[in-house]
C-alpha cells in the first residue's frame, strides 16, 4: 500500500497594515488610570486596536473571532468596552487584560449602536434588523427586545431618572420608550429624512437631532406628573443659543394627550455642511457639541449655561471648523478640566488624527496633535512580494510602498511612489522594482529609501512583471499590447559621481494583438506564458520569441497564472471564477475546477511543489493540489475582496492584501490535513449554520408585540439544549440502575455491590447524577440559558422540575434554579398545570422556593446593613469618605457658595 500524500495546514498568524476600520466608530478609552485623551479604540477587521496617539503605538489588541467590528462603546467606569459585530453579536472586553468573559447574541444583522446606562449595569444595542435589545450585564442575560422601527437604528439615548429610552432610526422616526412597561409611548415624526444622530443637552432637557439635511433641530423636553409640568413654564425658560429665530411648525409632534412628557420643537441651527450628519457627539458633561457630515469639515459648538445665555443672548454660538485632507467617517470628543477639547477622527483613508481645541478662547481654532499613518497604507495594497531570505515583505499601493519585517511586522521603510500594480525584489534584496498604472518602472534603494530611477516602459498600465530565472533581468507586460524584456545594468551615479547604481536596459519587444494581463517565465527559462485580453494564454519560446502553444477555454480574461517549479504544469485563474491546469508539453487541459464565487485575482505555486494558492474576490484564499486536482483547504479572514498574495521562498508564510485595508500573514504549521476530515468538518459547519438559521422558537401564549424576548436561536443554544438533554438521559439511566439495585438487594435480603458508576460521573469527581445535571446547566452561558431551555422538548421538563425541587431543598444554586424554574413554568404553563402527576411537585416547589428565597433575602439584607454600619463607623473615626467622590462634592459646595455670594451682591 502506497503512502498517502501529506498536506500541512496553514493558519492565520497576524493582521497588520490596518489602522482603523471604516465600518466601526472611534472612541476615547482610559488604560489603567492613564491620561484622558491619550488612548483611542478603533475597529480593525475582526479585532479592536487600542492606539497610544502620543507615541503612535499599538498598546492593546482585543481579539475577535471572524466577524467584522461595527461599533464600540466604552463603559462609564472606563474599565470595559462593549464591541458590536457584523453578525449581531456583542462582546464585552476588559481594558485591563484584554479578555472577554461576557457575550450576547440577539440580533440577526450588524450591530449599529451600543449604549450603557449611567451605572454600567444595563446595555442597550440597536441593529440593522430594526430591533432594540436591553441586556442585563450583571446577570449576563437579555431582558427584552423592543420592536417598532422600520429601518436601521442609528442612535440610542438613556434617561435614567425617568427610566426612559430614546431611539432614532433611518425610518425618519424618533421613538420614546418606557422601560418599566416596555412599550413606545411617543413617536416624533418631525423629520422628512433619516435621523442619523441625536444628543441630549442642558441636563437632558433638550434634544438635538441631525438628519440628511443641513439643519440641526432642537426639541424642548418637559416631564408631566399628575397633569402638571415639572420645571419652569415654557415662556419663562431661557433659550440657549442653539435656538433659531424662525419657528416653523414643521415636525411638531402634537398628540391629543401627553401622559409622560412633551417634546416640542424649540428651534434649529444651520450647519456649514449641506450633506447628511454622519456623527453627532458631545463630551461626557454635554458642554461641547461636535458634528460632521460627508465632507472634510468638523463643526464644534459650545453649549452655554443659563447664566452665560443671559449675558450673550443675541450672539451666535461659537463655531470652530477644521478641514482635514480626507473625509472623516467617525469621531469622538473629550473635554478635559482645563477647558481644552480633544477630538479624535477616524478617516476614510486608514488614518487616525487627533486635534485639540481651546473652547475658552474667543476664536478657537483646531490644532492637530497627532496622526497615525505609519502602520498602514492610505489606499488598497495591489501588489506584494517576499525577499529572497524570507525576512522582508514588500507592499505597494496607490501612493506608497512599504517594506515590513516578517517577524515583528514593523515598517522598515516607507517610500512615496505612483500607483503600483506589480513589484519584486531585485536579487540581493537591496533594491525593489515597481510597475505602475501609468506604465512606468520605478527602482528604489532600500538602504537610503530613495527613488533611483523612473523609466517609461509602456504606454498603458504595466499589469505584470516577472524576474528572469537567471536573475539578470525582468520581463514586463502592459496595456499597450507589448511584452518587453529588460536587463539589469550598473551605471555611474551622476549625483555622487563615484558610486554605481542599478538601472534597467530595454533589449527586446514582443508585439501582440491584445492587452497583456500577466506574464510568467518557466523556471527553466525556456518558455514565456502571456495572458491576453481575448481570454487566451499564449506560450512563446524565450530565446526566439516564436509562438509555441495557445491555451484557450476560459470564458473571461485570465487575470493570473503561474508555472510549477519543474516547468511541467501551468495553472491559470480567470474572471470566470474557474482555475484550469494545463500541461506545458502539449498544452492539453488536465482539469478545469470551479475555484471561487467571484473572479480569481491571484494564483501562485508553493515553491518546489505542485500545490498552489488562489485568491478571489469572494474574500477567500484556497489551496489546491495540481496533481490530484483536489481542494485542500480554505483560508478565511478577509472581509472584502482579496487583491493579491505572495508566498515566501521557503513556503512557510503567505501574505495577502484586501480591500478591507488589511494585510494578513498566514503560517504553515506541522499539523497534517486529512482531506476526508476537512470535508466532513465543512459539511458539519454548513449544517450547523443552517440549523441556527431555522425558525425561531415561539413562547406559547405570547403574542407578537412591541416587547419580545431578547435572545435568539444559535448553534450554541442548540448545543447547550442537547447537552442538557444528554445529562437528563444519563440521570434517568443511573436512576433506573439504582432502582434495579435496590430491588435486587431487597430480593436477595442482603446488601449487594453497587453498580458500576458511569465514566462521565467519575470524570466529574464521582458526583451524583442529579448534581451532574446541575453542573451542565451551570456551564450554559447566562445570556443563552433561556433560549436553550426554550429549545428543550417538554418530555424532559418533568425530570427537571423534580431535580429543581431537590436543588432548592439542599440550597444549591438557588438563584440559577429559580431563574430556570420560572422560565419553564411560564413557557410550559398549560402542559404543566394539566398534568396531574406534576401537581404535587409544583406544590412542593412553591413551598420550598418561597422559604428558601426568603432565607437568602434575609441574609442579603443583614449583610447589607452590616456593611453600611461598618462604613459609617469607619467614616466617623477616620474622617474618610467611602463610595463617593469627595472632589465632586467639594466642587458642588464651591458652586453653591459662589451662587449665594452673587445673589448677595445683586441685592446690595
Amino acid at each position: 500500500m502506497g503512502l498517502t500524500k501529506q498536506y500541512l495546514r496553514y493558519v492565520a498568524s497576524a493582521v497588520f497594515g490596518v489602522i482603523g476600520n471604516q465600518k466601526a466608530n472611534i472612541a476615547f478609552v482610559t488604560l489603567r488610570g492613564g491620561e484622558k485623551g491619550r488612548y483611542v479604540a478603533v475597529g480593525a477587521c475582526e479585532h479592536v486596536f487600542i492606539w497610544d496617539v502620543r507615541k503612535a503605538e499599538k498598546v492593546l489588541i482585543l481579539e475577535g473571532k471572524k466577524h467584522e467590528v461595527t461599533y464600540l462603546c466604552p463603559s462609564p467606569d472606563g474599565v470595559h468596552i462593549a464591541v458590536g459585530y457584523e453578525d449581531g453579536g456583542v462582546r464585552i472586553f476588559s481594558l485591563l487584560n484584554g479578555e472577554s468573559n461576557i457575550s450576547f447574541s440577539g440580533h440577526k444583522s450588524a450591530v449599529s449602536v451600543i449604549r450603557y446606562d449611567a451605572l454600567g449595569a444595563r446595555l442597550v444595542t440597536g441593529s440593522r434588523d430594526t430591533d432594540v435589545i436591553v441586556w442585563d450585564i450583571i446577570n449576563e442575560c437579555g431582558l427584552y427586545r423592543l420592536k417598532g422601527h422600520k429601518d436601521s437604528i442609528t442612535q440610542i439615548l438613556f434617561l435614567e431618572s425617568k427610566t426612559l429610552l430614546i431611539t432614532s432610526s433611518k425610518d425618519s422616526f424618533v421613538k420614546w420608550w418606557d422601560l418599566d412597561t416596555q412599550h413606545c409611548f411617543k413617536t416624533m415624526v418631525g423629520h422628512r429624512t433619516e435621523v442619523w444622530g441625536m444628543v441630549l443637552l442642558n441636563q437632558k432637557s433638550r434634544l438635538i437631532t441631525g438628519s440628511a439635511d443641513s439643519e440641526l433641530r432642537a426639541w424642548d423636553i418637559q416631564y408631566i406628573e399628575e397633569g402638571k409640568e415639572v420645571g419652569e413654564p415654557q415662556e419663562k425658560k431661557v433659550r440657549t443659543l442653539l435656538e433659531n429665530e424662525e419657528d416653523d411648525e414643521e415636525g411638531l409632534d402634537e398628540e391629543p394627550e401627553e401622559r409622560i412628557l412633551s417634546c416640542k420643537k424649540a428651534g434649529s441651527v444651520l450647519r456649514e455642511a449641506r450633506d447628511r450628519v454622519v456623527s453627532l457627539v458631545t463630551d461626557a458633561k454635554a458642554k461641547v457639541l461636535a458634528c460632521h457630515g460627508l465632507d472634510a469639515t468638523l463643526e464644534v459648538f459650545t453649549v452655554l449655561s443659563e447664566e452665560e445665555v443671559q449675558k450673550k443672548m443675541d450672539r451666535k454660538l461659537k463655531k470652530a471648523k477644521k478641514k482635514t485632507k480626507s473625509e472623516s467617517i467617525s469621531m469622538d470628543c473629550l473635554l478635559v478640566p482645563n477647558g481644552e477639547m480633544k477630538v479624535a477622527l477616524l478617516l476614510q483613508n486608514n488614518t487616525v488624527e487627533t486635534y485639540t481645541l481651546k473652547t475658552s478662547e474667543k476664536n478657537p481654532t483646531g490644532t492637530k496633535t497627532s496622526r497615525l499613518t505609519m502602520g498602514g497604507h492610505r489606499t488598497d495594497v495591489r501588489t506584494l512580494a517576499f525577499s529572497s531570505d524570507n525576512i522582508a515583505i514588500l507592499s505597494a499601493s496607490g501612493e506608497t510602498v512599504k517594506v515590513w519585517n516578517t517577524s515583528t511586522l514593523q515598517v522598515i521603510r516607507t517610500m512615496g511612489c505612483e500607483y503600483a500594480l506589480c513589484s519584486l525584489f531585485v536579487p540581493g534584496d537591496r533594491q525593489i522594482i515597481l510597475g505602475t498604472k501609468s506604465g512606468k518602472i520605478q527602482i528604489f534603494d532600500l538602504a537610503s529609501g530613495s527613488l533611483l530611477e523612473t523609466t517609461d516602459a509602456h504606454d498603458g498600465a504595466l499589469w505584470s512583471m516577472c524576474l528572469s530565472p537567471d536573475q539578470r533581468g525582468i520581463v514586463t507586460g502592459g496595456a499597450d499590447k507589448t511584452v518587453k524584456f529588460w536587463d539589469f545594468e550598473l551605471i555611474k551615479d551622476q549625483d555622487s559621481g563615484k558610486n554605481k547604481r542599478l538601472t534597467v536596459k530595454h533589449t527586446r519587444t514582443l508585439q501582440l494583438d491584445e492587452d497583456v494581463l500577466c506574464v510568467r517565465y518557466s523556471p527553466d527559462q525556456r518558455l514565456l506564458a502571456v495572458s491576453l485580453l481575448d481570454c487566451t494564454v499564449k506560450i512563446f519560446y524565450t530565446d526566439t520569441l516564436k509562438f509555441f502553444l495557445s491555451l484557450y477555454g476560459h470564458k473571461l480574461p485570465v487575470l493570473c497564472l503561474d508555472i510549477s517549479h519543474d516547468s511541467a504544469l501551468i495553472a491559470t485563474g480567470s474572471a470566470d471564477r474557474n482555475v484550469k491546469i494545463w500541461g506545458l508539453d502539449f498544452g492539453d487541459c488536465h482539469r478545469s475546477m470551479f475555484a471561487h464565487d467571484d473572479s480569481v485575482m491571484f494564483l501562485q505555486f508553493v515553491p518546489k511543489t505542485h500545490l498552489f494558492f488562489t485568491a478571489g474576490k469572494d474574500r477567500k484564499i484556497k489551496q489546491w493540489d495540481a496533481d490530484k486536482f483536489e481542494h485542500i483547504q480554505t483560508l478565511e479572514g478577509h472581509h472584502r475582496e482579496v487583491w493579491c498574495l505572495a508566498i515566501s521562498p521557503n513556503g512557510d508564510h503567505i501574505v495577502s492584501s484586501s480591500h478591507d485595508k488589511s494585510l494578513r500573514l498566514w503560517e504553515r504549521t506541522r499539523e497534517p490535513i486529512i482531506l476526508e476530515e476537512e470535508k466532513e468538518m465543512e459539511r458539519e459547519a454548513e449544517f450547523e449554520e443552517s440549523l441556527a438559521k431555522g425558525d425561531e422558537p415561539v413562547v406559547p401564549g405570547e403574542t407578537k408585540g412591541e416587547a419580545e424576548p431578547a435572545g435568539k436561536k444559535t448553534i450554541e443554544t442548540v448545543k447547550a439544549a442537547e447537552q442538557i438533554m444528554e445529562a437528563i438521559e444519563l440521570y434517568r439511566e443511573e436512576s433506573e440502575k439504582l432502582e434495579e439495585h435496590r430491588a435486587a438487594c431487597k430480593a436477595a435480603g442482603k446488601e449487594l455491590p453497587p453498580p458500576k458508576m458511569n465514566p462521565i460521573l467519575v470524570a466529574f469527581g464521582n458526583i451524583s447524577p442529579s448534581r451532574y445535571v446541575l453542573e451542565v446547566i451551570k456551564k450554559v452561558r447566562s445570556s443563552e440559558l433561556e433560549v436553550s431551555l426554550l429549545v428543550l422538548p417538554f418530555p424532559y421538563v418533568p425530570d427537571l422540575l423534580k431535580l429543581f425541587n431537590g436543588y432548592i431543598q439542599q440550597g444549591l444554586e438557588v438563584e440559577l434554579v429559580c431563574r430556570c424554574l420560572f422560565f419553564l413554568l411560564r413557557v410550559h404553563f398549560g402542559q404543566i398545570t394539566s398534568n396531574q402527576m406534576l401537581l404535587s411537585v409544583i406544590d412542593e416547589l412553591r413551598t420550598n422556593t418561597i422559604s428558601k428565597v426568603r432565607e437568602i433575602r434575609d441574609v442579603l439584607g443583614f449583610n447589607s446593613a452590616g456593611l453600611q454600619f461598618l462604613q459609617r463607623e469607619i467614616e466617623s473615626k477616620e474622617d474618610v469618605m467611602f463610595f463617593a467622590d469627595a472632589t465632586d462634592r467639594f466642587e458642588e459646595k464651591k458652586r453653591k457658595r459662589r451662587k449665594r455670594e452673587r445673589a448677595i451682591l445683586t441685592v446690595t
Side-chain angles (χ1 to χ4, degrees), residues 351-371:
T351 304
V352 171
E353 291 182 351
T354 59
Y355 292 84
T356 58
L357 191 71
K358 292 186 178 179
T359 57
S360 57
E361 295 180 354
K362 289 185 177 180
N363 297 310
T365 57
T367 304
K368 186 188 294 186
T369 54
S370 64
R371 191 166 187 255

mmCIF file of all heavy atoms in Angstrom, residues 351-371:
data_model
loop_
_atom_site.group_PDB
_atom_site.id
_atom_site.type_symbol
_atom_site.label_atom_id
_atom_site.label_comp_id
_atom_site.label_asym_id
_atom_site.label_seq_id
_atom_site.Cartn_x
_atom_site.Cartn_y
_atom_site.Cartn_z
ATOM 1 N N THR A 351 -6.543 56.313 8.422
ATOM 2 C CA THR A 351 -5.744 57.241 9.223
ATOM 3 C C THR A 351 -6.541 57.667 10.445
ATOM 4 O O THR A 351 -7.760 57.825 10.379
ATOM 5 C CB THR A 351 -5.362 58.491 8.398
ATOM 6 O OG1 THR A 351 -4.688 58.073 7.210
ATOM 7 C CG2 THR A 351 -4.458 59.419 9.183
ATOM 8 N N VAL A 352 -5.842 57.844 11.552
ATOM 9 C CA VAL A 352 -6.435 58.413 12.772
ATOM 10 C C VAL A 352 -5.732 59.728 13.067
ATOM 11 O O VAL A 352 -4.496 59.785 13.096
ATOM 12 C CB VAL A 352 -6.298 57.455 13.976
ATOM 13 C CG1 VAL A 352 -6.707 58.142 15.262
ATOM 14 C CG2 VAL A 352 -7.144 56.207 13.765
ATOM 15 N N GLU A 353 -6.503 60.796 13.260
ATOM 16 C CA GLU A 353 -5.950 62.106 13.595
ATOM 17 C C GLU A 353 -6.584 62.610 14.881
ATOM 18 O O GLU A 353 -7.756 62.336 15.159
ATOM 19 C CB GLU A 353 -6.215 63.114 12.467
ATOM 20 C CG GLU A 353 -5.452 62.838 11.194
ATOM 21 C CD GLU A 353 -5.706 63.899 10.130
ATOM 22 O OE1 GLU A 353 -6.604 64.734 10.350
ATOM 23 O OE2 GLU A 353 -5.018 63.891 9.100
ATOM 24 N N THR A 354 -5.798 63.336 15.676
ATOM 25 C CA THR A 354 -6.316 63.960 16.896
ATOM 26 C C THR A 354 -6.042 65.460 16.846
ATOM 27 O O THR A 354 -5.002 65.901 16.351
ATOM 28 C CB THR A 354 -5.661 63.360 18.154
ATOM 29 O OG1 THR A 354 -4.244 63.538 18.088
ATOM 30 C CG2 THR A 354 -5.980 61.883 18.278
ATOM 31 N N TYR A 355 -6.998 66.226 17.365
ATOM 32 C CA TYR A 355 -6.906 67.679 17.407
ATOM 33 C C TYR A 355 -7.228 68.161 18.816
ATOM 34 O O TYR A 355 -7.931 67.479 19.581
ATOM 35 C CB TYR A 355 -7.912 68.312 16.425
ATOM 36 C CG TYR A 355 -7.613 68.067 14.973
ATOM 37 C CD1 TYR A 355 -8.025 66.895 14.344
ATOM 38 C CD2 TYR A 355 -6.928 69.006 14.213
ATOM 39 C CE1 TYR A 355 -7.763 66.667 13.013
ATOM 40 C CE2 TYR A 355 -6.663 68.793 12.868
ATOM 41 C CZ TYR A 355 -7.081 67.624 12.281
ATOM 42 O OH TYR A 355 -6.803 67.413 10.959
ATOM 43 N N THR A 356 -6.704 69.331 19.156
ATOM 44 C CA THR A 356 -7.065 69.996 20.397
ATOM 45 C C THR A 356 -7.687 71.344 20.062
ATOM 46 O O THR A 356 -7.326 71.982 19.070
ATOM 47 C CB THR A 356 -5.846 70.216 21.312
ATOM 48 O OG1 THR A 356 -4.857 70.983 20.612
ATOM 49 C CG2 THR A 356 -5.262 68.891 21.748
ATOM 50 N N LEU A 357 -8.613 71.768 20.919
ATOM 51 C CA LEU A 357 -9.359 72.994 20.681
ATOM 52 C C LEU A 357 -9.605 73.661 22.027
ATOM 53 O O LEU A 357 -10.166 73.043 22.928
ATOM 54 C CB LEU A 357 -10.693 72.659 20.000
ATOM 55 C CG LEU A 357 -11.505 73.812 19.442
ATOM 56 C CD1 LEU A 357 -10.816 74.369 18.206
ATOM 57 C CD2 LEU A 357 -12.900 73.333 19.085
ATOM 58 N N LYS A 358 -9.128 74.885 22.202
ATOM 59 C CA LYS A 358 -9.336 75.613 23.452
ATOM 60 C C LYS A 358 -10.664 76.359 23.358
ATOM 61 O O LYS A 358 -10.779 77.401 22.707
ATOM 62 C CB LYS A 358 -8.179 76.571 23.709
ATOM 63 C CG LYS A 358 -6.866 75.846 24.007
ATOM 64 C CD LYS A 358 -5.770 76.808 24.410
ATOM 65 C CE LYS A 358 -4.488 76.056 24.753
ATOM 66 N NZ LYS A 358 -3.391 76.969 25.140
ATOM 67 N N THR A 359 -11.670 75.810 24.051
ATOM 68 C CA THR A 359 -13.018 76.371 23.960
ATOM 69 C C THR A 359 -13.147 77.699 24.689
ATOM 70 O O THR A 359 -14.125 78.421 24.483
ATOM 71 C CB THR A 359 -14.026 75.378 24.552
ATOM 72 O OG1 THR A 359 -13.656 75.077 25.916
ATOM 73 C CG2 THR A 359 -14.039 74.080 23.756
ATOM 74 N N SER A 360 -12.189 78.044 25.553
ATOM 75 C CA SER A 360 -12.284 79.295 26.309
ATOM 76 C C SER A 360 -11.899 80.517 25.462
ATOM 77 O O SER A 360 -12.198 81.647 25.827
ATOM 78 C CB SER A 360 -11.381 79.224 27.544
ATOM 79 O OG SER A 360 -10.047 78.957 27.170
ATOM 80 N N GLU A 361 -11.231 80.292 24.340
ATOM 81 C CA GLU A 361 -10.820 81.413 23.501
ATOM 82 C C GLU A 361 -12.012 81.981 22.729
ATOM 83 O O GLU A 361 -13.011 81.301 22.490
ATOM 84 C CB GLU A 361 -9.742 80.957 22.521
ATOM 85 C CG GLU A 361 -8.444 80.528 23.198
ATOM 86 C CD GLU A 361 -7.414 80.081 22.175
ATOM 87 O OE1 GLU A 361 -7.759 80.006 20.974
ATOM 88 O OE2 GLU A 361 -6.266 79.791 22.575
ATOM 89 N N LYS A 362 -11.880 83.241 22.326
ATOM 90 C CA LYS A 362 -12.960 83.885 21.584
ATOM 91 C C LYS A 362 -13.091 83.296 20.189
ATOM 92 O O LYS A 362 -14.188 83.076 19.692
ATOM 93 C CB LYS A 362 -12.711 85.392 21.500
ATOM 94 C CG LYS A 362 -12.882 86.113 22.825
ATOM 95 C CD LYS A 362 -12.740 87.610 22.635
ATOM 96 C CE LYS A 362 -12.977 88.339 23.956
ATOM 97 N NZ LYS A 362 -12.845 89.810 23.796
ATOM 98 N N ASN A 363 -11.977 83.065 19.527
ATOM 99 C CA ASN A 363 -11.986 82.478 18.181
ATOM 100 C C ASN A 363 -11.148 81.204 18.195
ATOM 101 O O ASN A 363 -9.981 81.206 17.784
ATOM 102 C CB ASN A 363 -11.432 83.465 17.147
ATOM 103 C CG ASN A 363 -12.295 84.705 17.037
ATOM 104 O OD1 ASN A 363 -13.505 84.612 16.896
ATOM 105 N ND2 ASN A 363 -11.665 85.867 17.111
ATOM 106 N N PRO A 364 -11.710 80.123 18.715
ATOM 107 C CA PRO A 364 -10.907 78.896 18.841
ATOM 108 C C PRO A 364 -10.602 78.273 17.484
ATOM 109 O O PRO A 364 -11.427 78.294 16.568
ATOM 110 C CB PRO A 364 -11.814 77.978 19.669
ATOM 111 C CG PRO A 364 -13.194 78.475 19.408
ATOM 112 C CD PRO A 364 -13.081 79.947 19.195
ATOM 113 N N THR A 365 -9.418 77.753 17.362
ATOM 114 C CA THR A 365 -9.002 77.043 16.143
ATOM 115 C C THR A 365 -8.437 75.687 16.522
ATOM 116 O O THR A 365 -7.796 75.547 17.566
ATOM 117 C CB THR A 365 -7.935 77.842 15.369
ATOM 118 O OG1 THR A 365 -6.808 78.087 16.233
ATOM 119 C CG2 THR A 365 -8.502 79.157 14.871
ATOM 120 N N GLY A 366 -8.683 74.708 15.668
ATOM 121 C CA GLY A 366 -8.202 73.362 15.942
ATOM 122 C C GLY A 366 -6.723 73.217 15.627
ATOM 123 O O GLY A 366 -6.228 73.739 14.631
ATOM 124 N N THR A 367 -6.014 72.495 16.482
ATOM 125 C CA THR A 367 -4.579 72.230 16.294
ATOM 126 C C THR A 367 -4.369 70.727 16.231
ATOM 127 O O THR A 367 -4.766 70.001 17.157
ATOM 128 C CB THR A 367 -3.759 72.820 17.453
ATOM 129 O OG1 THR A 367 -4.037 74.212 17.562
ATOM 130 C CG2 THR A 367 -2.276 72.605 17.205
ATOM 131 N N LYS A 368 -3.764 70.267 15.134
ATOM 132 C CA LYS A 368 -3.506 68.838 15.006
ATOM 133 C C LYS A 368 -2.380 68.428 15.950
ATOM 134 O O LYS A 368 -1.309 69.019 15.962
ATOM 135 C CB LYS A 368 -3.121 68.501 13.568
ATOM 136 C CG LYS A 368 -2.983 66.994 13.307
ATOM 137 C CD LYS A 368 -2.421 66.696 11.938
ATOM 138 C CE LYS A 368 -3.363 67.125 10.843
ATOM 139 N NZ LYS A 368 -2.868 66.712 9.513
ATOM 140 N N THR A 369 -2.639 67.411 16.775
ATOM 141 C CA THR A 369 -1.647 66.965 17.757
ATOM 142 C C THR A 369 -0.970 65.661 17.358
ATOM 143 O O THR A 369 0.167 65.418 17.748
ATOM 144 C CB THR A 369 -2.304 66.786 19.129
ATOM 145 O OG1 THR A 369 -3.444 65.915 19.006
ATOM 146 C CG2 THR A 369 -2.766 68.134 19.683
ATOM 147 N N SER A 370 -1.659 64.807 16.601
ATOM 148 C CA SER A 370 -1.027 63.551 16.185
ATOM 149 C C SER A 370 -1.741 63.002 14.962
ATOM 150 O O SER A 370 -2.896 63.341 14.685
ATOM 151 C CB SER A 370 -1.066 62.510 17.320
ATOM 152 O OG SER A 370 -2.401 62.163 17.620
ATOM 153 N N ARG A 371 -1.029 62.134 14.265
ATOM 154 C CA ARG A 371 -1.579 61.491 13.056
ATOM 155 C C ARG A 371 -0.979 60.097 12.929
ATOM 156 O O ARG A 371 0.241 59.947 12.862
ATOM 157 C CB ARG A 371 -1.256 62.330 11.818
ATOM 158 C CG ARG A 371 -1.991 61.891 10.563
ATOM 159 C CD ARG A 371 -1.890 62.969 9.489
ATOM 160 N NE ARG A 371 -2.720 62.643 8.336
ATOM 161 C CZ ARG A 371 -2.253 62.196 7.177
ATOM 162 N NH1 ARG A 371 -0.934 62.034 7.024
ATOM 163 N NH2 ARG A 371 -3.062 61.929 6.171
#
